[in-house]
Amino acid sequence: MNENEFDITLEVAGKSYHVSVKRGDEKEEFLYREAAKRVGLYLVQYRQYFSKSLEDIQLLTMVAIHLARDVLRLETENGEATQAIQQWTDKLDEYLKK
């Protein structure tokens, strides 16, 4: 870690994890903390759903899959929105050239 970074501590599944964040980057720190909270919330939900029959590593794997699916959904939606915006931009450019 260099002087432009500082460590934050995140707790997930009863374990602490240290992450280096650039000094002054409150948004990045916030995102890490919110991500850890969300993982914790999903972990609790999966633990309740499976009545504690699975180990934490299995539950965390399921949480990772859940979150990865969410990321892929957003990437797909953003790609579709970007494509639609590009089509409208092309039409507008074409119209303005007339």
Side-chain angles (χ1 to χ4, degrees):
M1 180 171 71
N2 64 45
E3 63 188 38
N4 294 326
E5 295 178 338
F6 68 101
D7 276 349
I8 61 173
T9 303
L10 306 173
E11 190 169 318
V12 177
K15 299 199 184 316
S16 295
Y17 300 91
H18 301 283
V19 178
S20 294
V21 179
K22 184 178 175 184
R23 287 196 189 284
D25 195 345
E26 292 87 13
K27 182 178 180 182
E28 190 73 5
E29 180 182 357
F30 172 80
L31 289 172
Y32 272 115
R33 293 189 188 284
E34 287 300 309
K37 271 190 220 174
R38 187 162 302 178
V39 168
L41 290 172
Y42 284 132
L43 184 59
V44 167
Q45 289 175 356
Y46 278 107
R47 219 181 250 137
Q48 290 171 345
Y49 182 76
F50 289 102
S51 303
K52 299 183 181 182
S53 62
L54 299 178
E55 295 178 19
D56 278 350
I57 191 69
Q58 294 167 306
L59 294 170
L60 286 167
T61 300
M62 295 177 74
V63 170
I65 292 168
H66 183 124
L67 293 171
R69 184 211 57 199
D70 289 350
V71 167
L72 290 170
R73 180 182 294 139
L74 288 171
E75 287 175 350
T76 301
E77 290 171 0
N78 285 341
E80 292 168 358
T82 300
Q83 185 178 11
I85 290 169
Q86 186 60 52
Q87 289 173 349
W88 282 104
T89 301
D90 293 345
K91 287 180 182 181
L92 182 60
D93 286 345
E94 190 177 308
Y95 177 78
L96 292 173
K97 287 179 184 177
K98 292 181 181 181

